[in-house]
Amino acid sequence: MATKNTDVVVAGQPDHRMLTVITNDNVSIVVEKDVLLHNSTNQFDGKLADSFAHGPIYVTEPSQVFDLFLDALLDQEPVRHEPAPAIISDLLACLTKYGVPLDDKFSLQHQQKPFYNFVLTSAISYPLDTFALVCKYNLEELAVESARHLLSIPLTQITHEQSIDIGPVYLRRLTILHLKHAEGLKRLLAPLPDRHEPNEGCDDTSQKNNLERLWNNAVREIWAEEEGSLRIVNDEVVGDAPCSEIEEISSISDGVKPTERMARPIPHGLVVDH
């Protein structure tokens, strides 16, 4: 268990193999040497190649990042850290540098482990940044789960830097996901709503023509919100309605949720050919 005392962090169970690590902000961290060696495939970036070394050793990471790194090694809840792309990026770089296999912490079989959920929490508030980050490190299961939060974000918002991190494979899969989702929503909304009873200002013929035009224009402006409800960009469209009854039935409110019948399989559209 990791505990903090002023500028000293102790990780693992104390014994004769304790090692002092000094971060770049001059914080001393005392950690059990076996914790580092057991989890590393490169002898902690070669710093522990000498099995008789007892430290101290110096690292280039700040104490905040190295503290999170130790939490990841020990599968501890990162209670001292807020999930955000910046700190997760530093963590992934740190784990990679010191030879810690990312699949041991972030694969689907470890979804009950704290750091799998730590990343998913970041995806709620920072969906695109988090998605780009997990794609960069080829964390496929997390990419699939993060993609659930991207359906409301236009692909045009992806920056040049993010597209490089996402890479061609995941970018193609994300594009297919968006296209499938949009087509699915359009299919659900293709049938026209029921017409109202003819009245003095809007007879049956006028209503049919206007309703078809308004509805089809509205459907073309669909996008999906994160919660799975629908919205229509139809202020101008509805403003052209010849009567208040057509205006009412030509609108789709947030309360309409036809995606409930299709929302489950749609996010997994990200999992197509590799």
Side-chain angles (χ1 to χ4, degrees), residues 33-154:
K33 187 177 180 181
D34 285 346
V35 169
L36 302 180
L37 286 174
H38 176 72
N39 288 280
S40 174
T41 61
N42 64 3
Q43 297 176 311
F44 197 62
D45 195 32
K47 296 181 184 296
L48 298 180
D50 182 359
S51 59
F52 296 101
H54 295 290
I57 61 174
Y58 294 84
V59 296
T60 58
E61 291 75 25
S63 56
Q64 181 188 29
V65 173
F66 201 80
D67 179 56
L68 189 62
F69 169 80
L70 290 179
D71 282 342
L73 289 192
L74 299 171
D75 292 321
Q76 294 183 160
E77 291 287 346
V79 295
R80 295 181 293 276
H81 307 276
E82 291 293 327
I87 189 68
I88 293 173
S89 177
D90 290 340
L91 170 64
L92 291 173
C94 188
L95 290 167
T96 303
K97 174 182 176 180
Y98 294 118
V100 180
L102 299 183
D103 283 347
D104 289 351
K105 306 297 176 184
F106 300 104
S107 66
L108 187 59
Q109 68 187 54
H110 295 104
Q111 60 182 313
Q112 299 305 317
K113 290 196 173 184
F115 278 82
Y116 186 92
N117 293 315
F118 187 74
V119 175
L120 289 185
T121 302
S122 172
I124 296 173
S125 301
Y126 311 96
L128 193 49
D129 289 332
T130 303
F131 179 75
L133 185 57
V134 296
C135 288
K136 178 181 178 180
Y137 286 91
N138 196 29
L139 300 173
E140 184 174 19
E141 292 90 349
L142 282 170
V144 171
E145 292 301 317
S146 299
R148 296 178 182 273
H149 304 286
L150 294 176
L151 293 174
S152 63
I153 299 178

